[in-house]
Amino acid sequence: MTDTSSEAIDKTRVHQSEAAARRRKARANAERRFQTYGVIAVLIALAALGILIFSIAGAGVTAFWQHSIKLEVQLDEAQIDPEGTRDLDTLRRAPYRTIVRDYIKGMFPEVTERRDVRTLTKLLSTGAVTELREYVLANPDQVGSKVVLHVPVSDDIDMLLKGQIDASLPESDRRVSDQEIAWVRALQDKGLIEREFNRRLFVNSDSREPELAGIWGAVIGSFYTMVVTLALAFPIGVMAAIYLEEFAPKNRFTDFIEVNINNLAAVPSIVFGLLGLAVFLNTWQLPRSAPLVGGMVLALMTFPTIIIASRAALKAVPPSIREGAVGVGASPLQTVFHHVLPLAMPGILTGTIIGMAQALGETAPLLMIGMVAFVADVPQSITEPAAALPVQIYLWADSPERAFVERTSAAIIILLSFLIVMNILAVLLRQRFERRW
Amino acid sequence: MALAEQFDSSNVDIPPGKGVATSTEVKMVAEGVDVYYGDKQAIDNVSMEILDKSVTAFIGPSGCGKSTFLRCLNRMNDTIDIAKVTGRIYLDGEDINSSEVDPVQVRARVGMVFQKPNPFPKSIYENVAYGPRIHGLASTREELDDIVKGSLARAGLLDEVESRMHEPGTGLSGGQQQRLCIARCIACNPEVILMDEPTSALDPIASARIEELIDELRENYCIIIVTHNMQQAARISQKTAFFHLGVLVEYENTVDIFNNPRDERTKDYISGRFG
Ligand SMILES: Nc1ncnc2c1ncn2[C@@H]1O[C@H](COP(=O)(O)OP(=O)(O)OP(=O)(O)O)[C@@H](O)[C@H]1O
Ligand SMILES: [Mg+2]
């Protein structure tokens, strides 16, 4: 190495020299290091996702079942329908509260004090009376016979039975008294308390009583909102994308539009909510809390996403297809609608689904336009007040009752399931139609 | 085939009686055509007359503007934003660049086959039926079937695809795809067919079939073909135009271009000295 002439690179064997071996080793090391970093990054991301899913699932899974009391009552005709007309109005006004109270009182003949009877009745949800009434209205022919119903226990008792209220705490520190615990244990011993699938979570709408609260109203509200969003954002977004990509001249003005569409996609969603409040509600006087307005606001938010995805999908269609069509004398419009658009459709639909999934999970703009009101009914049209899934989660998370905690997580699980299904759909669509040319 | 052999003029032999224009009807005329891509001039003052019922070959080194000029003839350059065409081009005496003329109509009359086969990602049947359908060439399903079958037969493809007309056209081999594109083109009943290096992606056998096809089509159509293959130009064309750097250098009967080129540049090119 002291001899300068040996320092000069031997051009004939550069790739076998020691320096080359060193370079190869350094390269291999760099590659291994990079892969390690990559694996670590992926693991961190997976861990974050895992923690999220496990914590939510852990908190929410108990909401999918519920404890109920077997209500075995004689539907006394003299009490319910003394005239025997089976008139619905009469049936609706029958004293079901008394029937339920007498039944539970019959379990504990030793309880006579008025106050104690009231507490005893409160072991049951107020829904017990409603559900009995609904049952009779649906089956008037059952009046006079003995029926068996499973009615929910109150939320505190449900919490106790699920072990979320600790019976070993001093009585003053828990929401359930020793007396109530004793009654519940007695009912359990008689085999009257059962654990069942919480159907009410899916078929009921919002309620002040956690044990009766469900997401159905919010699902329908979200559905109407999404229909409005899709009906507005999809045609407008796709038309705008087709015009910009296939017809508009490329000049400063279209560049300016392009930049602004990209900006629009980055606007925080709450700003769209404020816009909806100012324009749709205050200026146009559209109904508050309605899926119509919610859908319009979310459409504003979604349509830049759709434009951007659609333009990318249109751009990905090879020019040779367009040339082929133009070459056989297809007009520009025919070229787009017969050849380019069908090929771009999977990409457009994928973008649309992803945009809709974002819109489905969006809360802030809906709060701004009043879709945060307590709505206990299933909306019948897009102009009626409605809840939406993410807003329902927000409302439940804000409720003081202990039993709403697990329901909040359950609602999140349901919302996430919808989102996952939509995203899987997008991925399938992309794979199914990938590169057919 | 060795490259040197392909470009050696001594190997380009033209059978007696071939390579001479027999038709006298003029189908298209170009007068002082200039094409600019932005500021860059790609075609410089080209004037020529193209005969009906014959094959005209465009030859010349890469980038000399053959495709560009070809695309002027059916207003295909309209689809390129930066391209600007000036000068006059007549089809049967009518200026195709005039404002009264609908470019879509021009493209229906002047069909085009591209260098790379580009069938639509639809069925074989749909590929061929598309043109006749949008141009209203068939009023019944049976008529359309006849056009499709007839066009495929003339493109020499019918036997190979008859049993799978409803399978995707993109599933065919490269040579079959190119013949499908030719069938798609002739199904529209054009008067002129422009072909931009139609065989450059094909093997010698597939190329030979397409050459045969072009020779047959010549009886009814005006055909213009761009090719880098001297042999091919010599075999199938009656007239040959040599382009160089955007200029039309020489335009003669094919025999004369290959056997006694007048211009030095033509001579150099066909003898393989530059290209
Ligand atoms: N779309 C375009 N935009 C800008 N310049 C172009 C465009 N198309 C062609 N050109 C230029 O015009 C000139 C002629 O191109 P053209 O494609 O007509 O050549 P060609 O003779 O067909 O070549 P080849 O034999 O390689 O196909 C070239 O210099 C090319 O760079
Ligand atoms: Mg070319």
Side-chain angles (χ1 to χ4, degrees):
Chain A
M1 283 294 183
T2 47
D3 187 357
T4 44
S5 66
S6 75
E7 293 271 303
I9 299 169
D10 177 5
K11 288 269 167 57
T12 56
R13 295 176 57 86
V14 259
H15 298 300
Q16 279 107 51
S17 68
E18 243 175 73
R22 274 200 304 278
R23 271 199 306 276
R24 198 174 61 231
K25 205 158 164 221
R27 225 166 37 229
N29 283 339
E31 213 150 289
R32 201 162 334 108
R33 256 195 323 274
F34 180 79
Q35 290 204 5
T36 316
Y37 297 152
V39 169
I40 291 173
V42 170
L43 287 180
I44 291 175
L46 281 181
L49 191 68
I51 290 169
L52 175 82
I53 288 181
F54 275 107
S55 66
I56 291 173
V61 75
T62 49
F64 289 102
W65 61 78
Q66 193 177 24
H67 291 89
S68 63
I69 288 184
K70 197 162 152 199
L71 193 66
E72 204 172 354
V73 286
Q74 180 70 36
L75 294 177
D76 185 2
E77 184 158 13
Q79 199 176 10
I80 293 173
D81 189 15
E83 280 149 42
T85 55
R86 297 290 185 271
D87 174 43
L88 284 185
D89 257 351
T90 321
L91 291 182
R92 194 171 293 123
R93 277 197 299 268
Y96 300 105
R97 188 177 301 276
T98 320
I99 299 176
V100 171
R101 196 190 56 210
D102 290 349
Y103 170 76
I104 193 96
K105 238 168 78 181
M107 297 282 141
F108 301 98
E110 72 278 9
V111 181
T112 47
E113 191 98 14
R114 248 183 93 98
R115 239 188 51 198
D116 288 346
V117 172
R118 192 167 329 121
T119 324
L120 182 61
T121 325
K122 284 219 173 116
L123 293 182
L124 284 178
S125 161
T126 52
V129 176
T130 331
E131 287 186 10
L132 179 61
R133 182 195 299 129
E134 238 115 71
Y135 178 83
V136 173
L137 286 174
N139 310 282
D141 53 309
Q142 292 287 313
V143 174
S145 50
K146 194 170 193 148
V147 297
V148 180
L149 250 65
H150 294 267
V151 294
V153 298
S154 77
D155 55 327
D156 285 334
I157 303 303
D158 193 41
M159 288 292 100
L160 173 77
L161 290 167
K162 282 174 178 168
Q164 294 184 27
I165 289 180
D166 188 356
S168 62
L169 287 175
E171 191 174 8
S172 57
D173 287 0
R174 51 180 143 85
R175 287 180 53 88
V176 193
S177 66
D178 288 342
Q179 175 65 76
E180 285 169 311
I181 293 177
W183 284 331
V184 170
R185 298 288 175 238
L187 286 171
Q188 268 181 313
D189 289 343
K190 287 188 190 157
L192 290 175
I193 293 191
E194 280 167 13
R195 205 179 76 158
E196 54 174 29
F197 175 69
N198 189 0
R199 164 181 66 78
R200 295 175 187 87
L201 180 63
F202 294 93
V203 300
N204 284 6
S205 293
D206 198 10
S207 166
R208 299 284 183 214
E209 309 297 332
E211 72 277 11
L212 299 176
I215 52 148
W216 186 242
V219 168
I220 295 298
S222 271
F223 173 75
Y224 282 146
T225 309
M226 290 296 106
V227 167
V228 173
T229 303
L230 188 66
L232 290 175
F234 184 72
I236 297 178
V238 173
M239 286 299 156
I242 291 177
Y243 178 73
L244 287 174
E245 202 54 46
E246 303 286 331
F247 295 99
K250 305 274 171 285
N251 56 26
R252 286 252 173 108
F253 183 64
T254 44
D255 283 349
F256 174 77
I257 291 179
E258 165 140 34
V259 168
N260 277 292
I261 287 171
N262 290 338
N263 285 342
L264 210 57
V267 170
S269 57
I270 195 155
V271 177
F272 289 113
L274 286 169
L275 180 88
L277 176 64
V279 177
F280 300 152
L281 295 187
N282 294 346
T283 310
W284 295 2
Q285 301 287 325
L286 293 175
R288 239 161 215 290
S289 310
L292 175 66
V293 180
M296 286 163 75
V297 168
L298 293 178
L300 286 178
M301 205 193 86
T302 310
F303 106 104
T305 313
I306 295 183
I307 292 191
I308 292 169
S310 304
R311 291 191 68 178
L314 290 169
K315 213 174 268 178
V317 175
S320 66
I321 302 280
R322 290 185 188 82
E323 283 193 330
V326 170
V328 295
S331 70
L333 203 65
Q334 289 170 330
T335 303
V336 168
F337 281 92
H338 296 166
H339 299 283
V340 179
L341 197 56
L343 292 177
M345 227 9 153
I348 293 176
L349 291 181
T350 306
T352 305
I353 292 174
I354 289 171
M356 295 299 288
Q358 276 171 6
L360 178 62
E362 201 54 69
T363 323
L366 299 185
L367 300 185
M368 298 314 299
I369 57 134
M371 268 183 104
V372 67
F374 171 79
V375 183
D377 297 318
V378 177
Q380 300 299 319
S381 76
I382 56 169
T383 50
E384 276 176 31
L389 265 178
V391 178
Q392 189 68 75
I393 291 169
Y394 172 82
L395 283 172
W396 284 356
D398 222 24
S399 302
E401 287 86 351
R402 181 91 176 67
F404 271 127
V405 174
E406 57 172 30
R407 280 173 174 75
T408 306
S409 294
I412 293 174
I413 293 172
I414 293 164
L415 178 60
L416 283 180
S417 315
F418 279 117
L419 296 180
I420 289 170
V421 167
M422 287 171 85
N423 285 329
I424 289 176
L425 207 67
V427 171
L428 286 183
L429 210 60
R430 194 156 45 204
Q431 281 174 353
R432 173 97 172 64
F433 292 100
E434 214 160 31
R435 301 273 158 199
R436 286 187 301 161
W437 48 85
Chain B
M1 190 184 338
L3 201 63
E5 193 184 320
Q6 181 180 340
F7 285 104
D8 187 345
S9 66
S10 62
N11 278 314
V12 179
D13 36 39
I14 297 167
K18 289 283 192 96
V20 180
T22 47
S23 163
T24 50
E25 281 171 72
V26 174
K27 186 70 184 173
M28 295 194 82
V29 179
E31 269 178 21
V33 174
D34 291 319
V35 182
Y36 295 86
Y37 289 115
D39 298 331
K40 189 171 157 296
Q41 187 163 14
I43 289 290
D44 185 4
N45 192 24
V46 168
S47 302
M48 71 193 297
E49 290 186 346
I50 292 161
L51 298 178
D52 202 3
K53 302 198 181 5
S54 44
V55 178
T56 305
F58 289 179
I59 60 170
S62 188
C64 68
K66 305 177 297 292
S67 302
T68 303
F69 183 66
L70 194 71
R71 292 164 62 93
C72 293
L73 300 177
N74 69 342
R75 292 195 58 177
M76 209 57 179
N77 282 330
D78 289 12
T79 59
I80 300 172
D81 283 327
I82 57 167
K84 192 165 134 284
V85 180
T86 60
R88 284 179 206 295
I89 296 168
Y90 298 95
L91 173 63
D92 285 338
E94 187 182 23
D95 184 357
I96 62 168
N97 287 320
S98 91
S99 55
E100 285 104 76
V101 172
D102 175 20
V104 172
Q105 190 74 39
V106 171
R107 290 183 207 120
R109 292 176 65 189
V110 184
M112 190 157 193
V113 176
F114 299 84
Q115 175 171 0
K116 211 174 128 246
N118 60 346
F120 302 132
K122 300 177 191 261
S123 73
I124 293 169
Y125 184 92
E126 280 303 315
N127 261 282
V128 185
Y130 181 69
R133 200 176 276 148
I134 59 170
H135 297 304
L137 300 183
S139 47
T140 64
R141 179 83 201 185
E142 287 70 40
E143 265 177 29
L144 191 61
D145 284 352
D146 286 347
I147 293 177
V148 171
K149 287 225 169 111
S151 308
L152 284 169
R154 290 171 70 195
L157 190 62
L158 188 61
D159 295 342
E160 287 154 75
V161 300
E162 192 154 23
S163 58
R164 46 172 175 157
M165 293 284 255
H166 297 283
E167 284 171 35
T170 39
L172 297 171
S173 78
Q176 290 174 326
Q177 287 189 15
Q178 193 61 295
R179 278 179 282 151
L180 178 61
C181 291
I182 293 175
R184 175 177 80 185
C185 177
I186 56 185
C188 299
N189 231 345
E191 298 158 32
V192 182
I193 301 177
L194 311 177
M195 298 185 170
D196 194 350
E197 303 184 39
T199 61
S200 65
L202 306 184
D203 72 80
I205 295 173
S207 305
R209 299 189 66 151
I210 287 181
E211 284 180 21
E212 267 170 47
L213 170 64
I214 291 171
D215 206 45
E216 281 166 35
L217 292 174
R218 168 169 68 96
E219 289 171 17
N220 300 304
Y221 300 92
C222 165
I223 296 174
I224 305 169
I225 177 169
V226 174
T227 179
H228 280 288
N229 184 335
M230 296 301 119
Q231 309 268 354
Q232 185 173 64
R235 275 195 301 268
I236 60 172
S237 70
Q238 284 75 53
K239 299 275 280 184
T240 297
F242 172 65
F243 288 82
H244 186 238
L245 298 176
V247 179
L248 174 61
V249 175
E250 202 168 341
Y251 177 42
E252 289 300 336
N253 276 343
T254 302
V255 195
D256 298 324
I257 289 277
F258 284 101
N259 290 351
N260 30 33
R262 276 181 286 112
D263 197 283
E264 269 315 297
R265 290 169 289 180
T266 318
K267 202 177 288 172
D268 287 347
Y269 181 71
I270 59 174
S271 61
R273 234 165 287 163
F274 70 86

